[in-house]
Amino acid sequence: MVEVDVQLEQVGSMPLKCSIWSNFIFLLVLATGAPAGSKGADEKICSIHSSKEVHMGSSFQIYCIFKKGCKTLIFQDNVRLQCTSCNSTHVRQSIVNLTQTTTFTCKCGDNPEPCGTDITPGYPPEIPQNLTCVQEGELGNVNCTWKAGRETYIQTTSRLWVGGDPVDYASVTLPDGTLSAVFPIPAAKTNFSVLVKASNSLGSATSGVLSFMLNDIVKPLSPNIKKVECTSRQCHVYPDNAQSIQLVEIQYRADEGSWNTVSFNHTNSSTSWTITSLNPYSLYTFQVRWKLGPTTGVWSGWSRAEKLTDEEAPSAMVDAWYIEETTQKVKKNIHLFWKELSKSDARGNILGYNVSVMDQGKKISSAFIKPPNRSYRVPCSVCNVYIFAVNSKGQSPARLVQLQPIDNFSSLSHKRVDNRSIALSWLREDTVKEYLVEWYPAGRKQQLQWIRVEHHLNTIHITGLQPAECYDGAVIYLRPSGTNKAVFSDVATWPSAPQQGPNCDTMVKYDRVEVTWQEVPSEKRGGCLIRQYRIYLQEPGGKIENYSVSHPQRKYTITGLARGQQYKLWVSAETTAEGPKGFECHFVTHQGAPSAEKSLALVVSIGGAIFLTCLFLLCICQFSSVHTRLSRCCHCLMPSIVPDPANSKWAKECANEKGEMKLQLYLSDSSMSEEEPDTVEVQELPREKLLQGESVPMDGACHSRSKVQDREHHIPSSPYQPITTSSYLKSLSNSSDTTQASRNTDITVDYISTHGVLSGGEEEDEEEEMDVMGFFPCPTSPFLDPLMPTGGKLTLDIVKIDCSDLNLCMQ
């Protein structure tokens, strides 16, 4: 069996004729055995016959012829097909509606080597459109371009034919999808006719003929802009060479605005083109093209250049307003804000803002604020503030802001427009020269925004609001005679549930827990006001209890909990709807009775009170005046029974002497002169008047006087009278002889009555002492040492006083 390459006609175009001829050719091939088409085909077990390219969506047949009999198979993209007509040596397969490139293969069942082909559907070319030709420069080649039409999906060629001679030029595809071909101009030829032919395996197409003269298609080279010079309002464009150009077209725009067009006629090489009516400090883009004349040639390509116009002084006042803030140091703190000027009003680069504060015609402060800062704290609450914007060419007109008290004047109404805007309306007044509407997120005055409204209007739409954000604000009535405002608060475009729950904290106290939580951030509240909080408590068994707490309280105590159990707790916030829960808090209640804790706290409190009291008394006792008064107060603690002087050794010796004995008592006082100590003369009574064993009656009161004191003794008054609790003093002497004499083995102790000393003072001193004793009671002080270490028994030997220490001696 030999292979024959047969080109089949498409079934879709002539189905009856194609079927007859295909059967005839198939029988002819089987009967005659045509020679092999190629050497490579002899190496394969079979050959496949079909067109490589077919019409898009067409139906056709494929033939496979095998060199020997076998089990024949056919595949489409590796998918086995149920063949239309098959035997051991040939396969005929019908293909319907092919729309993409497909691979068909045939093979024997016992031979893995297949034969196959790729069939691509496509379209014949369309007639070329928009054929145009231009001459690149007055001496350049002719370049023709055209549109090829729809995509053919198969290999297609387009060629440009020039003149009646069979001269064609291959085309290239440009980036925009158009086709282009270039041909040179023959010498002394000015008229041309051109056409385009396109062809592929499925068909061909020819464009119409384009005839032209060179003068009609000359395209000058693009302009070369040498420089652009600008002032604040106009620019001059200079070309490098205008050649013989007669028509120029210039387009310009500021930033990314729309294009403006201006044309110039009868230009020459030295001409510059002036563009007027420009804006200061704006970046302009210029693009220029030209042609030989209004009716000659075609427009050249565009050339571009950019230039910034010069600055001018700002033309508009700065829009400024202020808020009042209350601080701890200053009752009212004025914070001034202003807006950035628009580019058209700034007319240049704003270098800064001059702020001047005037109070009663005197400048009290000024500042130069550099961008991007646009705020200033004014050091007064009732004054005038002037603000100027400054650039390199000057400053803007002054904006005057009069700071003065603003009272609430009237009410206003608002209505939600959509999720980002509200409508405000207020009462209009004829005396108002301008309204100012201010607003800011609740609690955040630093984000102040405002807009000015003309005096004949009383409504405005505030746009750009954040959904679910709460806003406060006011409408300010600006009058020449004063200022008032109508306020609004808690306005939101879209109230909803909070987006975040409060974070909680717990403090456990045995069978109760104290819950505290944080405020929900304002940007997460989902509305103006939080109405209440809900506390959820999950018990160990899984049961959940909830408690409601009104805003703004953020503390709650839950009692009656089981001791030693683990609980879970969380808090949620609610506006118009309840929000999500916050972070969960886990805690375990304490075991044991709280009474032990209370007892310990009571003991600690009492101990602390006693310690502080003792510490206080110890401190005040360090003052000499307090110590003296306490000593006077507590002298009553001394024993009321004084030993009888008659029992003393001194009294016994005096009884053996006849007559009288004079004793001198030297009282030591820092205020007295050391040259002549004061003496106290004591007259001793006869022995018979002082009987041995007779006791001196004493009054039990703190300041009672003995009978001995009532006797007529003369005691000089002293500037300092010591207060003692004993009724007797030891006779003292500065004499060394007396001291030495008193140190023999037969020592006698001499006593004198001190009642004379006590009674010798002024009556006023006595009364003052009595007042002091009445003011201070006689408590037992642990901080005072006993005046006499009696040990419970008082004897004269114990209370004797050494004269050498006190400089007090008997005469």
Side-chain angles (χ1 to χ4, degrees):
M1 188 70 62
V2 294
E3 175 182 274
V4 179
D5 189 5
V6 181
Q7 179 69 34
L8 304 178
E9 296 184 5
Q10 294 185 13
V11 176
S13 59
M14 299 178 65
L16 180 58
K17 183 176 180 181
C18 181
S19 178
I20 296 173
W21 277 102
S22 62
N23 292 333
F24 174 76
I25 294 174
F26 179 69
L27 294 175
L28 181 62
V29 169
L30 292 178
T32 60
S38 66
K39 183 179 179 180
D42 295 335
E43 299 176 358
K44 295 183 179 181
I45 193 63
C46 65
S47 61
I48 189 168
H49 304 273
S50 178
S51 299
K52 302 293 184 182
E53 296 170 343
V54 298
H55 279 274
M56 183 72 66
S58 63
S59 298
F60 56 92
Q61 290 184 343
I62 296 176
Y63 294 92
C64 292
I65 300 175
F66 294 86
K67 295 180 180 180
K68 63 178 181 177
C70 62
K71 183 180 179 180
T72 57
L73 302 173
I74 186 169
F75 297 86
Q76 179 178 352
D77 289 336
N78 296 324
V79 177
R80 183 179 176 182
L81 300 178
Q82 187 68 33
C83 65
T84 305
S85 176
C86 305
N87 58 33
S88 61
T89 59
H90 77 280
V91 171
R92 180 170 59 87
Q93 183 66 41
S94 298
I95 304 300
V96 179
N97 193 21
L98 187 68
T99 58
Q100 61 183 6
T101 300
T102 306
T103 300
F104 295 92
T105 57
C106 295
K107 69 178 181 177
C108 287
D110 57 352
N111 191 336
E113 184 68 22
C115 59
T117 185
D118 292 331
I119 300 178
T120 303
Y123 298 101
E126 289 186 338
I127 298 175
Q129 303 291 329
N130 300 331
L131 176 59
T132 59
C133 296
V134 295
Q135 183 183 11
E136 299 292 345
E138 296 183 70
L139 301 176
N141 296 329
V142 177
N143 184 12
C144 296
T145 59
W146 64 91
K147 294 290 185 181
R150 69 179 178 182
E151 176 65 38
T152 61
Y153 300 104
I154 59 177
Q155 184 177 0
T156 302
T157 60
S158 295
R159 302 188 69 86
L160 178 68
W161 292 79
V162 179
D165 299 330
V167 179
D168 61 339
Y169 300 91
S171 63
V172 294
T173 303
L174 300 179
D176 60 354
T178 60
L179 299 176
S180 173
V182 177
F183 66 92
I185 299 176
K189 190 171 182 179
T190 59
N191 297 330
F192 295 90
S193 296
V194 296
L195 59 84
V196 176
K197 290 182 179 181
S199 62
N200 60 21
S201 63
L202 300 179
S204 62
T206 303
S207 69
V209 177
L210 174 64
S211 300
F212 54 85
M213 297 182 63
L214 288 180
N215 288 339
D216 297 333
I217 64 170
V218 174
K219 181 181 180 181
L221 299 177
S222 299
N224 182 19
I225 300 176
K226 183 171 58 178
K227 63 178 179 179
V228 178
E229 294 180 349
C230 293
T231 61
S232 61
R233 295 288 179 173
Q234 62 183 11
C235 288
H236 304 277
V237 180
Y238 294 88
D240 188 14
N241 183 13
Q243 302 174 0
S244 58
I245 301 300
Q246 296 184 4
L247 184 61
V248 175
E249 183 176 274
I250 299 178
Q251 292 184 342
Y252 63 94
R253 65 179 180 182
D255 301 323
E256 296 298 327
S258 58
W259 289 104
N260 300 287
T261 303
V262 59
S263 298
F264 299 91
N265 293 323
H266 307 294
T267 180
N268 53 57
S269 59
S270 60
T271 301
S272 64
W273 310 299
T274 302
I275 312 299
T276 59
S277 302
L278 304 181
N279 294 323
Y281 198 67
S282 297
L283 180 62
Y284 279 91
T285 301
F286 303 92
Q287 61 181 18
V288 183
R289 68 175 182 175
W290 53 25
K291 60 185 299 190
L292 296 177
T295 60
T296 303
V298 296
W299 287 104
S300 68
W302 292 101
S303 295
R304 287 199 175 192
E306 292 183 344
K307 188 66 175 180
L308 183 69
T309 54
D310 203 356
E311 295 185 358
E312 288 184 359
S315 61
M317 294 185 295
V318 176
D319 190 1
W321 193 239
Y322 65 95
I323 60 173
E324 295 182 356
E325 297 177 315
T326 303
T327 61
Q328 296 180 353
K329 297 182 180 180
V330 184
K331 185 176 181 181
K332 283 187 179 181
N333 188 10
I334 305 300
H335 201 169
L336 181 69
F337 298 90
W338 57 89
K339 296 180 181 180
E340 184 180 6
L341 288 175
S342 65
K343 192 171 183 179
S344 59
D345 292 335
R347 295 183 177 181
N349 181 30
I350 298 300
L351 304 177
Y353 303 88
N354 278 325
V355 181
S356 299
V357 182
M358 308 292 292
D359 188 8
Q360 297 181 355
K362 296 181 179 179
K363 181 184 291 187
I364 61 175
S365 69
S366 62
F368 184 76
I369 310 298
K370 293 184 178 181
N373 297 325
R374 293 192 302 274
S375 64
Y376 179 71
R377 294 190 181 275
V378 183
C380 60
S381 58
V382 180
C383 53
N384 294 334
V385 182
Y386 296 88
I387 180 170
F388 311 82
V390 180
N391 64 12
S392 63
K393 298 296 183 179
Q395 64 183 17
S396 68
R399 166 69 72 178
L400 169 62
V401 180
Q402 295 178 329
L403 305 183
Q404 55 187 337
I406 303 178
D407 299 327
N408 294 346
F409 174 67
S410 62
S411 61
L412 52 81
S413 61
H414 70 275
K415 182 178 65 175
R416 174 180 173 272
V417 177
D418 54 38
N419 291 341
R420 291 188 175 272
S421 63
I422 60 173
L424 291 180
S425 60
W426 58 90
L427 297 177
R428 189 171 60 86
E429 289 191 4
D430 295 335
T431 58
V432 174
K433 65 177 183 179
E434 188 180 32
Y435 299 99
L436 186 143
V437 181
E438 65 176 17
W439 67 93
Y440 49 85
R444 289 175 285 172
K445 286 188 175 182
Q446 297 294 333
Q447 300 181 19
L448 174 69
Q449 298 184 66
W450 69 92
I451 188 172
R452 297 181 182 270
V453 182
E454 297 181 3
H455 64 90
H456 63 277
L457 300 176
N458 66 337
T459 59
I460 189 177
H461 281 191
I462 299 178
T463 60
L465 304 180
Q466 294 297 324
E469 181 72 81
C470 182
Y471 289 89
D472 296 342
V475 176
I476 315 297
Y477 290 67
L478 300 177
R479 305 185 187 88
S481 59
T483 304
N484 296 97
K485 66 179 178 180
V487 299
F488 64 89
S489 61
D490 298 337
V491 174
T493 61
W494 186 25
S496 62
Q499 303 173 17
Q500 176 180 314
N503 296 331
C504 63
D505 193 12
T506 59
M507 180 179 293
V508 181
K509 298 180 179 179
Y510 293 97
D511 61 344
R512 64 180 58 193
V513 60
E514 183 181 88
V515 187
T516 58
W517 57 91
Q518 299 176 357
E519 183 65 276
V520 178
S522 57
E523 63 273 11
K524 299 291 186 179
R525 291 178 188 172
C528 286
L529 295 176
I530 293 179
R531 298 180 179 180
Q532 66 177 1
Y533 300 97
R534 287 191 181 273
I535 304 173
Y536 291 88
L537 178 69
Q538 183 174 345
E539 300 178 353
K543 183 181 178 181
I544 298 178
E545 299 286 344
N546 67 84
Y547 307 88
S548 298
V549 180
S550 299
H551 183 271
Q553 182 181 349
R554 298 199 304 275
K555 181 186 293 186
Y556 188 79
T557 301
I558 302 175
T559 60
L561 303 180
R563 295 176 186 169
Q565 299 295 324
Q566 184 174 0
Y567 289 86
K568 183 167 63 174
L569 181 145
W570 64 87
V571 183
S572 66
E574 180 179 338
T575 53
T576 56
E578 186 176 1
K581 66 179 183 181
F583 293 118
E584 296 180 352
C585 296
H586 298 263
F587 65 93
V588 178
T589 54
H590 297 165
Q591 292 183 347
S595 57
E597 184 185 47
K598 293 183 179 179
S599 301
L600 180 61
L602 181 61
V603 171
V604 172
S605 300
I606 295 175
I610 294 174
F611 174 76
L612 293 176
T613 303
C614 295
L615 182 63
F616 174 74
L617 293 176
L618 181 62
C619 292
I620 65 174
C621 286
Q622 302 303 316
F623 298 97
S624 59
S625 60
V626 176
H627 188 277
T628 303
R629 291 184 180 182
L630 290 177
S631 300
R632 290 178 180 177
C633 170
C634 298
H635 81 283
C636 62
L637 300 177
M638 298 299 298
S640 60
I641 299 176
V642 180
D644 190 349
N647 297 327
S648 68
K649 183 178 180 180
W650 175 83
K652 293 177 182 180
E653 292 178 354
C654 290
N656 297 328
E657 299 288 338
K658 299 294 183 179
E660 297 178 352
M661 180 182 294
K662 291 184 179 181
L663 300 177
Q664 291 184 351
L665 176 64
Y666 294 92
L667 301 178
S668 177
D669 187 22
S670 61
S671 65
M672 299 173 59
S673 174
E674 295 181 359
E675 297 177 358
E676 188 71 25
D678 293 339
T679 62
V680 178
E681 294 184 0
V682 179
Q683 182 178 3
E684 184 178 6
L685 296 179
R687 180 183 179 88
E688 52 272 12
K689 291 184 180 181
L690 183 61
L691 300 178
Q692 184 174 356
E694 182 182 357
S695 61
V696 180
M698 299 293 294
D699 194 352
C702 293
H703 292 276
S704 62
R705 300 179 182 181
S706 66
K707 291 181 180 180
V708 178
Q709 186 181 358
D710 294 334
R711 297 170 184 172
E712 296 179 355
H713 294 166
H714 177 67
I715 302 176
S717 62
S718 175
Y720 172 73
Q721 298 182 4
I723 300 173
T724 64
T725 59
S726 175
S727 299
Y728 294 92
L729 296 176
K730 185 178 179 181
S731 177
L732 306 175
S733 174
N734 290 332
S735 173
S736 60
D737 297 338
T738 305
T739 303
Q740 295 295 330
S742 65
R743 293 179 180 178
N744 55 19
T745 57
D746 192 11
I747 298 175
T748 63
V749 181
D750 302 331
Y751 290 87
I752 61 174
S753 174
T754 62
H755 293 290
V757 179
L758 293 174
S759 63
E762 296 296 334
E763 194 69 24
E764 294 178 359
D765 296 339
E766 257 183 67
E767 293 177 359
E768 181 180 356
E769 291 176 12
M770 294 301 294
D771 292 341
V772 171
M773 306 310 273
F775 180 78
F776 289 99
C778 301
T780 302
S781 174
F783 303 101
L784 298 177
D785 296 332
L787 298 177
M788 290 185 179
T790 61
K793 294 181 180 181
L794 181 65
T795 64
L796 294 176
D797 293 334
I798 294 176
V799 300
K800 66 183 178 179
I801 302 175
D802 191 353
C803 296
S804 63
D805 295 334
L806 300 177
N807 297 324
L808 182 63
C809 300
M810 292 188 305
Q811 296 294 333

